[in-house]
Amino acid sequence: MEKIKFDFNSRTAIVTGGAQGFGFDITKRFLKSGANVIMWDNDPKAIDLAIKEIDSPNLSSHVVDVSNYEEVDKIVKEITENSNIDILINNAGITGPTATLWEYDIEMWKKVVEINLMGTFNCCRSIVPNMIKNNYGRIVNVASVAGKDGNANASAYSVGKAGAIGLTKSLGKELADKNIAVNAVTPAGAKTRILDQMTKEHVQRMLSKVPRGRFLEVEEFTSLICWLSSEENTFSTAAVFDISGGRSTY
């Protein structure tokens, strides 16, 4: 299937978790579409491998822990000294362990919520003022159907992604009178490293609930991200876009 072409006109995009999974494919597609991409990831080895594979002069990177606001804000201030930030893709996230709520490790629960929810908040809080100053911005928060429906044995992940959905709706309405769109996408199971964090039983249970009988292809997801991030999206904001293959609750 031929990919839909987008023109990002040298817009500057930050992609969190950009060296792996969804983020890596988004990074590559943005670069091919004319964007300057700043890839954020907390894994320096993954960043090095991604940079070597892509080999583009329009790609730069930072090792960033999105759950640390001071770290995020410091890097944003450095970037905005010389460039505006036009697009933010809040993609960084972890699923955490598979466990019932009453057996869930408390520190891991906090970590999963910190990355999935607070990481999204931190990036938006730091970057939105630059977008307001510029009167332009596109923000896409990668949530999950788990945030809409709740997944059994994944309370921290479900809470974090539900929070990201609520943040999207609130921030989108706060910025609705500006040329800044804030939307969320809620994928179901996809062929990314996130599946490696789940038990085989959970993966099979997920697959059995998708009427299309297969997991989401990464390229399908990236196409939706591209449209929401583009200048073609002039109206949609504070919305949640499901891309789940018609699945029912896991």
Side-chain angles (χ1 to χ4, degrees):
M1 183 176 66
E2 185 178 356
K3 293 181 180 178
I4 299 171
K5 294 181 180 179
F6 294 92
D7 185 356
F8 285 106
N9 299 316
S10 298
R11 294 287 188 186
T12 296
I14 288 178
V15 182
T16 73
Q20 308 170 66
F22 283 146
F24 186 52
D25 198 66
I26 293 165
T27 294
K28 291 189 292 183
R29 184 77 174 274
F30 276 13
L31 287 166
K32 289 180 180 179
S33 301
N36 298 308
V37 179
I38 305 171
M39 181 170 58
W40 285 7
D41 206 285
N42 68 348
D43 186 340
K45 290 183 179 178
I47 287 177
D48 288 343
L49 289 172
I51 289 174
K52 288 177 183 177
E53 180 175 335
I54 294 173
D55 189 25
S56 170
N58 296 322
L59 174 65
S60 59
S61 65
H62 294 96
V63 177
V64 184
D65 174 6
V66 295
S67 68
N68 184 323
Y69 180 77
E70 288 73 21
E71 187 175 321
V72 168
D73 197 50
K74 179 176 181 291
I75 294 173
V76 168
K77 287 176 179 174
E78 291 173 358
I79 293 169
T80 53
E81 283 181 2
N82 303 303
S83 171
N84 291 314
I85 299 170
D86 304 299
I87 301 166
L88 169 62
I89 309 300
N90 280 308
N91 169 72
I94 60 172
T95 60
T98 301
T100 56
L101 182 142
W102 57 93
E103 296 173 316
Y104 213 107
D105 180 83
I106 293 174
E107 292 307 312
M108 276 304 302
W109 205 95
K110 291 178 180 178
K111 180 178 179 180
V112 173
V113 174
E114 282 286 328
I115 292 173
N116 291 315
L117 175 54
M118 291 305 299
T120 300
F121 167 79
N122 290 339
C123 292
C124 288
R125 188 184 191 281
S126 184
I127 291 170
V128 162
N130 179 254
M131 291 180 171
I132 293 173
K133 180 182 176 182
N134 258 351
N135 193 38
Y136 184 87
R138 299 290 183 269
I139 298 172
V140 183
N141 298 321
V142 178
S144 168
V145 289
K148 295 175 66 179
D149 301 336
N151 282 357
N153 303 313
S155 57
Y157 184 70
S158 299
V159 166
K161 293 303 187 180
I165 291 171
L167 185 153
T168 298
K169 294 179 179 181
S170 177
L171 181 60
K173 291 172 182 176
E174 290 173 1
L175 297 172
D177 61 343
K178 298 173 176 60
N179 189 19
I180 302 171
V182 186
N183 291 287
V185 290
T186 55
K191 295 179 180 177
T192 68
R193 67 186 181 90
I194 213 90
L195 293 181
D196 297 333
Q197 301 176 32
M198 302 177 183
T199 64
K200 290 182 179 179
E201 293 78 10
H202 189 65
V203 171
Q204 287 301 314
R205 187 163 66 250
M206 288 170 61
L207 187 58
S208 70
K209 300 291 184 178
V210 181
R212 288 193 180 274
R214 65 173 177 84
F215 286 125
L216 171 68
E217 297 288 346
V218 174
E219 294 80 6
E220 294 170 323
F221 177 82
T222 301
S223 291
L224 177 57
I225 294 286
C226 283
W227 178 72
L228 290 169
S229 305
S230 73
E231 294 179 32
E232 293 182 26
N233 174 25
T234 58
F235 194 71
S236 178
T237 194
V240 180
F241 290 78
D242 187 83
I243 182 164
S244 67
R247 66 143 244 186
S248 55
T249 304
Y250 296 149

